[in-house]
Amino acid sequence: MRSGGSRSAMFLRLLARAAVWRKGQALSALLSVTVAAAAVSAMFDLMVDVEAKLRREFRSYGANILVEAGSRKSFSPQELARIYSALADRGLAVPFAYTVARTEKDQAVVVAATDFALVRKLNPWWAVSSWPEHSGQALVGVRAARLLPPSGSPFRLRFAQTDISLRSAGTVQTGAGEDSRIYVSLDDFSSWTGLKPSVVEIAAYGARGEIASILNDLGRAVPSADVRPVRQVTEAEAGVLGKTRSTLLSSAALIAATAALSVVATLMGWVFDRRRDFAIMKALGASERLITLFVLGQAALLGAAGAIGGFAIGVGIAAWIGRANFHAPVVPRLTILPAIVAGSLAVTLVSTLLPLRLLRRIQPAMILRGE
Amino acid sequence: MFLRLVYESLRRQTRRKLLVTGAVMLGAAVSTVMVGIAVGIGDKISRELRSYGANLVITPEEDSLDVEIGSVDLKPATAGAYLEESSLAKIKGIFWGNNIRAFAPELPVTVLAGAQETTLVGTYFQKPLKYGNRQFTTGARATFPWWRISGAWPEDDSDNLLVGEKLAARLGIAPGASLKIAGKAYVVSGIISSGGVEDGQIIAPLHVAQTIAGRTGAVRRVFVSAITKPEDAFARRNPDSLSPRDRDRWYCSPYPQSIAYQLAEALPHSRAEQIRQVAANEGKVLSRIKGLMLLITLAALITSGLAVSAAMATAMFERRAEVGLMKALGGGQFSLSMIFITESVLLALIGGLAGFACGALLARTLGRAIFGSTLAVGPVLLPLVLTISIAVAVTGSAMAIRRAVKYDPVLALRGEG
C-alpha cells in the first residue's frame, strides 16, 4: 500500500517535473494542439449557426409561402386570424387585396391594398421613395405614376361607381408587377370597395422540415384556402444553401485534417527527441509500462489543456466571423466541448503511442551510446 | 563553404526534413484550396443563384400599364407596345453577351379555354437561335428552372401546349388531351407546376400566341437571366453623368445596371430593368457567402501557418547539439542563423510547390464534386502561396533558431538540453 502510494506520488512528480523542465518542447507541442482544437471548434461552432444565419439572409427574398383564398373569394377576419395563429411567430404574414379600378382618364389600373409596415419588412428590396404614413395616402408604382398627377397632388380612382380621393406619398420600383400598381392601406381599401384580403404572403423561417410543417398547419387552419410554397424562392434557396454547406463541410474537414496531422508530426518529434530520457529511465529500472504511462500521461495533459484552450480561442474566432460577416454573434456551443476534448485526446494519444512502439524495440544501451 | 554547409544540412537527417517539408506542403495545399474556393465561390454561387430565375426584364419603351391580378392578365391584347421577335438574338450580342445565361420572351393573350377565361402566354421553350455565326439555344426551360412538367415539353415549332396544374384540375385535362382555343384544337403535351402564376395559365410556343393575338413577330416582354456582379455605389451612378473614363469602367463591369443598359441599347425601342427581388437580393446573399468564405480562408491560413510553425520549431529544437558543435568550431551567430534560415526557405519552396500542385488538384476535385464544374486555381496564386509558405517557415523557425544559436555550446555538446 505504502509502496503503491509512493509510486503514484513519484509518477505525478515526474509528470510535473517534465512539464516544468521541458518547457520549450512542451510549449510547441501545446501550441500545435491548441491551434488544431481552435480551428476545429471554430468550424463546428460556425457550421451549426451559419445555416440559420444564411436562412435569415434568404428571407429578404420575400415570401416563400403563398396562401390564396379560393377563386374570386376573400378571407373573412376569422380566417385571417386563424392563419396568423397557425403561423404564430414562425414567420411574417402580410395580407394583400387586389382589384381593378379606373383613373379619371378611364384607364384601368390594378389597386392593391396591404399593411405598409409589414410589407416593408417582407420585401426589403422594394425601392420606395417615401412610405405612406397616413390614411388617404397611396404608394404608386413607377409606371402607374405616369398616369397620375405629380406626387403630392390629389387624384381620384373609381371602383363600381364609388370614388376615392388619394394622395401619392411616394413611388415604388421593383422591376416587376408592383411597378404598374397603386398600393393603398387596407382600411382605406375596404371602406372604399368593401373587399377583403384575398392573398396572404408569408415569409416563414426555418429549414425544409419546419417549412413543411408550417404549410401543413396553414392548410389545416383554413381548409378552403390554397396554400403553396413559392418554388422559385424555396428551390433556389435550397440549392444555394446545399452548396454552401458542402463547401463549408469540406473546408472544415480539410482544416481539421491539417490540424490533426500537424499535431501528429509535432508530437512524434517530441517523443523521438526524448529517447535518451527513456533510455536512462529504462536503464535505471523503470518498466516499459511505467514509461508508456508516463508519456501517455503527459500527452493526455497536453491534449486536454490544448483542447480547452483551443475551444476558447475557436469560439472567439467563430464569434468574430459571425460579427464581421453577419453582424450577429455566433452563440458558443458548450455541447461541442466534450467532442473536441475527446478528439484531441485521441489524436495526441495515438501520435505518442506510435513512436513509443518504435522505440520499445531499441535497446537502451544503443540509444545511450548515441546510435 | 556556406553553400556546402546548407547542402550537407539538407542532405542529412532526411526524416526530419521530410517531416518539415510535409508540414509545409500540407499547409500550402490547404491554403491553395481555401484561397481557390474563396476566389471562385462568388462565381459558383452566382451561377447557383441564377436558379432564382431572371434578374432583368426588357419591356417596350412606350408600354401601357400591366393590368394583372394573380394569373389573369386583364390588359387587352391590342393595347400597349411590343418588341420585335426578330431582334431578340441581339441580346447575345451585347458586350456582356457571354454572361447572358438564358432569356425567354413572353406574349400574353387572354383566351377562352372551355368556359374559362384565362391567360395564354407564348414563349420559347428551347429555341435554337443564331447571332452572327454563333448558335445557341435558349428559352423558358433555362430561364425558369423551377418549372416542373408532367408529360412532355412542347416543341417550339409545334402546336402543343402546357396547361397550369390548377387550371388543368378545373378543366379536368391530362397530358395528351386536346384543348380548343379560339376555334382551333391544340394538343396538351404536359401539365406545368411552378408554384407561381403559371399554375393558372396556359403556356404555348410563341408563334401560337402570336397567331391567336393576330400579331406576327410581336413580343410583350423578355425575361433575361444574366450573371452579374453585386451592385455597389458606383453601379448605381447614372452612366450619362460619368466622365468618359468612368463611363467605360461602368459599361465594362457586369453590374445588373450596365447589362440592363446594354440590353436597352441592343433592342430598338425598349427599356430594360432589374427585377429587384432577384437582382438586389442576389448581391446581398452573394456578398455574405463570399465574406464568410474569405474569413474562413483567413482562419485556415492562420491555422496552417501556426501548425507549420510548430512543426518547424520542433524540428529546429532537435538540432541544438549540431548548433553547439558549429559554434564551438567558431561559427558566428549571424552565419549560423543564415544557414538555418536558408535551409528553411529551401524546404518551404519545395513544400510550397508540391503543396500548390496538390491543392490545385484538390480544388478541382472539390469544385467538381460540389458545384459540378471545376474550381480553377490560376497560376497567379502560386507566388502568393510560395510567399506565404516561406514567411510561415521562416517565422516558425526563427524563434527556435535564435534560441539554438544563443545556447551555450558547452551545455549543448555535453547533451544537457
Side-chain angles (χ1 to χ4, degrees), chain B residues 130-147:
Chain B
K130 207 170 160 193
Y131 178 78
N133 46 15
R134 242 185 328 162
Q135 289 278 355
F136 59 96
T137 51
T138 191
R141 293 180 70 161
T143 316
F144 309 113
W146 64 92
W147 283 11

mmCIF file of all heavy atoms in Angstrom, chain B residues 130-147:
data_model
loop_
_atom_site.group_PDB
_atom_site.id
_atom_site.type_symbol
_atom_site.label_atom_id
_atom_site.label_comp_id
_atom_site.label_asym_id
_atom_site.label_seq_id
_atom_site.Cartn_x
_atom_site.Cartn_y
_atom_site.Cartn_z
ATOM 1 N N LYS B 130 -29.586 32.142 -83.641
ATOM 2 C CA LYS B 130 -28.284 32.380 -84.241
ATOM 3 C C LYS B 130 -27.984 33.863 -84.147
ATOM 4 O O LYS B 130 -28.798 34.694 -84.509
ATOM 5 C CB LYS B 130 -28.345 31.949 -85.711
ATOM 6 C CG LYS B 130 -27.003 31.545 -86.229
ATOM 7 C CD LYS B 130 -27.128 30.904 -87.575
ATOM 8 C CE LYS B 130 -25.750 31.005 -88.196
ATOM 9 N NZ LYS B 130 -25.698 30.720 -89.572
ATOM 10 N N TYR B 131 -26.815 34.199 -83.575
ATOM 11 C CA TYR B 131 -26.381 35.582 -83.631
ATOM 12 C C TYR B 131 -25.022 35.611 -84.306
ATOM 13 O O TYR B 131 -24.078 35.002 -83.814
ATOM 14 C CB TYR B 131 -26.283 36.205 -82.233
ATOM 15 C CG TYR B 131 -25.796 37.627 -82.304
ATOM 16 C CD1 TYR B 131 -26.665 38.647 -82.679
ATOM 17 C CD2 TYR B 131 -24.475 37.940 -82.060
ATOM 18 C CE1 TYR B 131 -26.215 39.937 -82.789
ATOM 19 C CE2 TYR B 131 -24.019 39.238 -82.161
ATOM 20 C CZ TYR B 131 -24.892 40.234 -82.534
ATOM 21 O OH TYR B 131 -24.446 41.519 -82.659
ATOM 22 N N GLY B 132 -24.896 36.323 -85.418
ATOM 23 C CA GLY B 132 -23.665 36.274 -86.200
ATOM 24 C C GLY B 132 -23.448 34.838 -86.635
ATOM 25 O O GLY B 132 -24.350 34.225 -87.212
ATOM 26 N N ASN B 133 -22.301 34.292 -86.270
ATOM 27 C CA ASN B 133 -22.109 32.887 -86.617
ATOM 28 C C ASN B 133 -22.156 32.017 -85.368
ATOM 29 O O ASN B 133 -21.612 30.937 -85.327
ATOM 30 C CB ASN B 133 -20.793 32.693 -87.376
ATOM 31 C CG ASN B 133 -19.676 33.432 -86.684
ATOM 32 O OD1 ASN B 133 -19.824 33.841 -85.531
ATOM 33 N ND2 ASN B 133 -18.556 33.613 -87.373
ATOM 34 N N ARG B 134 -22.785 32.560 -84.298
ATOM 35 C CA ARG B 134 -22.874 31.796 -83.061
ATOM 36 C C ARG B 134 -24.244 31.163 -82.910
ATOM 37 O O ARG B 134 -25.256 31.856 -83.035
ATOM 38 C CB ARG B 134 -22.578 32.693 -81.862
ATOM 39 C CG ARG B 134 -21.347 32.200 -81.136
ATOM 40 C CD ARG B 134 -21.064 32.949 -79.886
ATOM 41 N NE ARG B 134 -21.465 34.359 -79.922
ATOM 42 C CZ ARG B 134 -21.620 35.072 -78.830
ATOM 43 N NH1 ARG B 134 -21.424 34.517 -77.661
ATOM 44 N NH2 ARG B 134 -21.973 36.338 -78.896
ATOM 45 N N GLN B 135 -24.284 29.881 -82.670
ATOM 46 C CA GLN B 135 -25.539 29.171 -82.444
ATOM 47 C C GLN B 135 -25.750 29.047 -80.947
ATOM 48 O O GLN B 135 -24.804 28.796 -80.214
ATOM 49 C CB GLN B 135 -25.438 27.752 -83.028
ATOM 50 C CG GLN B 135 -25.440 27.675 -84.529
ATOM 51 C CD GLN B 135 -26.846 27.729 -85.094
ATOM 52 O OE1 GLN B 135 -27.807 27.728 -84.347
ATOM 53 N NE2 GLN B 135 -26.956 27.821 -86.410
ATOM 54 N N PHE B 136 -26.962 29.230 -80.493
ATOM 55 C CA PHE B 136 -27.249 28.946 -79.086
ATOM 56 C C PHE B 136 -28.723 28.601 -78.956
ATOM 57 O O PHE B 136 -29.523 28.916 -79.841
ATOM 58 C CB PHE B 136 -26.876 30.132 -78.192
ATOM 59 C CG PHE B 136 -27.589 31.408 -78.540
ATOM 60 C CD1 PHE B 136 -28.746 31.775 -77.861
ATOM 61 C CD2 PHE B 136 -27.116 32.245 -79.539
ATOM 62 C CE1 PHE B 136 -29.401 32.952 -78.179
ATOM 63 C CE2 PHE B 136 -27.779 33.416 -79.869
ATOM 64 C CZ PHE B 136 -28.916 33.772 -79.190
ATOM 65 N N THR B 137 -29.058 27.927 -77.868
ATOM 66 C CA THR B 137 -30.473 27.662 -77.619
ATOM 67 C C THR B 137 -30.843 28.339 -76.317
ATOM 68 O O THR B 137 -30.032 28.449 -75.398
ATOM 69 C CB THR B 137 -30.764 26.155 -77.466
ATOM 70 O OG1 THR B 137 -29.853 25.650 -76.518
ATOM 71 C CG2 THR B 137 -30.637 25.415 -78.761
ATOM 72 N N THR B 138 -32.061 28.819 -76.254
ATOM 73 C CA THR B 138 -32.496 29.493 -75.040
ATOM 74 C C THR B 138 -33.999 29.361 -74.910
ATOM 75 O O THR B 138 -34.658 28.851 -75.816
ATOM 76 C CB THR B 138 -32.060 30.971 -75.069
ATOM 77 O OG1 THR B 138 -32.271 31.516 -73.788
ATOM 78 C CG2 THR B 138 -32.867 31.759 -76.083
ATOM 79 N N GLY B 139 -34.517 29.790 -73.779
ATOM 80 C CA GLY B 139 -35.959 29.704 -73.582
ATOM 81 C C GLY B 139 -36.324 29.500 -72.139
ATOM 82 O O GLY B 139 -35.482 29.607 -71.240
ATOM 83 N N ALA B 140 -37.594 29.181 -71.919
ATOM 84 C CA ALA B 140 -38.122 29.092 -70.560
ATOM 85 C C ALA B 140 -37.460 27.992 -69.742
ATOM 86 O O ALA B 140 -37.289 28.120 -68.535
ATOM 87 C CB ALA B 140 -39.632 28.861 -70.615
ATOM 88 N N ARG B 141 -37.065 26.885 -70.405
ATOM 89 C CA ARG B 141 -36.504 25.763 -69.628
ATOM 90 C C ARG B 141 -35.269 26.189 -68.871
ATOM 91 O O ARG B 141 -35.039 25.737 -67.746
ATOM 92 C CB ARG B 141 -36.172 24.602 -70.559
ATOM 93 C CG ARG B 141 -37.406 23.991 -71.164
ATOM 94 C CD ARG B 141 -37.055 22.860 -72.072
ATOM 95 N NE ARG B 141 -36.573 21.717 -71.338
ATOM 96 C CZ ARG B 141 -36.550 20.494 -71.846
ATOM 97 N NH1 ARG B 141 -36.967 20.285 -73.074
ATOM 98 N NH2 ARG B 141 -36.090 19.502 -71.136
ATOM 99 N N ALA B 142 -34.446 27.063 -69.465
ATOM 100 C CA ALA B 142 -33.237 27.517 -68.781
ATOM 101 C C ALA B 142 -33.523 28.741 -67.917
ATOM 102 O O ALA B 142 -32.861 28.957 -66.896
ATOM 103 C CB ALA B 142 -32.150 27.835 -69.801
ATOM 104 N N THR B 143 -34.491 29.567 -68.310
ATOM 105 C CA THR B 143 -34.745 30.810 -67.571
ATOM 106 C C THR B 143 -35.526 30.548 -66.285
ATOM 107 O O THR B 143 -35.325 31.223 -65.277
ATOM 108 C CB THR B 143 -35.533 31.803 -68.451
ATOM 109 O OG1 THR B 143 -34.962 31.793 -69.755
ATOM 110 C CG2 THR B 143 -35.470 33.200 -67.887
ATOM 111 N N PHE B 144 -36.443 29.582 -66.327
ATOM 112 C CA PHE B 144 -37.277 29.297 -65.152
ATOM 113 C C PHE B 144 -37.026 27.860 -64.705
ATOM 114 O O PHE B 144 -37.857 26.976 -64.928
ATOM 115 C CB PHE B 144 -38.754 29.491 -65.490
ATOM 116 C CG PHE B 144 -39.051 30.823 -66.134
ATOM 117 C CD1 PHE B 144 -39.482 30.898 -67.449
ATOM 118 C CD2 PHE B 144 -38.880 32.002 -65.424
ATOM 119 C CE1 PHE B 144 -39.751 32.126 -68.041
ATOM 120 C CE2 PHE B 144 -39.144 33.234 -66.017
ATOM 121 C CZ PHE B 144 -39.583 33.299 -67.332
ATOM 122 N N PRO B 145 -35.892 27.603 -64.068
ATOM 123 C CA PRO B 145 -35.515 26.210 -63.790
ATOM 124 C C PRO B 145 -36.437 25.522 -62.773
ATOM 125 O O PRO B 145 -36.337 24.318 -62.604
ATOM 126 C CB PRO B 145 -34.089 26.326 -63.246
ATOM 127 C CG PRO B 145 -33.944 27.738 -62.817
ATOM 128 C CD PRO B 145 -34.866 28.544 -63.644
ATOM 129 N N TRP B 146 -37.305 26.285 -62.107
ATOM 130 C CA TRP B 146 -38.161 25.640 -61.101
ATOM 131 C C TRP B 146 -39.475 25.128 -61.705
ATOM 132 O O TRP B 146 -40.278 24.556 -60.993
ATOM 133 C CB TRP B 146 -38.432 26.601 -59.943
ATOM 134 C CG TRP B 146 -39.210 27.813 -60.336
ATOM 135 C CD1 TRP B 146 -40.567 27.949 -60.293
ATOM 136 C CD2 TRP B 146 -38.709 29.037 -60.843
ATOM 137 N NE1 TRP B 146 -40.920 29.184 -60.755
ATOM 138 C CE2 TRP B 146 -39.803 29.888 -61.083
ATOM 139 C CE3 TRP B 146 -37.423 29.507 -61.112
ATOM 140 C CZ2 TRP B 146 -39.657 31.167 -61.603
ATOM 141 C CZ3 TRP B 146 -37.285 30.785 -61.618
ATOM 142 C CH2 TRP B 146 -38.379 31.595 -61.856
ATOM 143 N N TRP B 147 -39.688 25.332 -62.996
ATOM 144 C CA TRP B 147 -40.898 24.778 -63.617
ATOM 145 C C TRP B 147 -40.800 23.271 -63.662
ATOM 146 O O TRP B 147 -39.774 22.713 -64.036
ATOM 147 C CB TRP B 147 -41.040 25.301 -65.056
ATOM 148 C CG TRP B 147 -41.532 26.709 -65.148
ATOM 149 C CD1 TRP B 147 -41.658 27.591 -64.124
ATOM 150 C CD2 TRP B 147 -41.935 27.388 -66.338
ATOM 151 N NE1 TRP B 147 -42.130 28.793 -64.602
ATOM 152 C CE2 TRP B 147 -42.304 28.695 -65.960
ATOM 153 C CE3 TRP B 147 -42.031 27.038 -67.680
ATOM 154 C CZ2 TRP B 147 -42.749 29.647 -66.866
ATOM 155 C CZ3 TRP B 147 -42.477 27.983 -68.593
ATOM 156 C CH2 TRP B 147 -42.832 29.281 -68.188
#
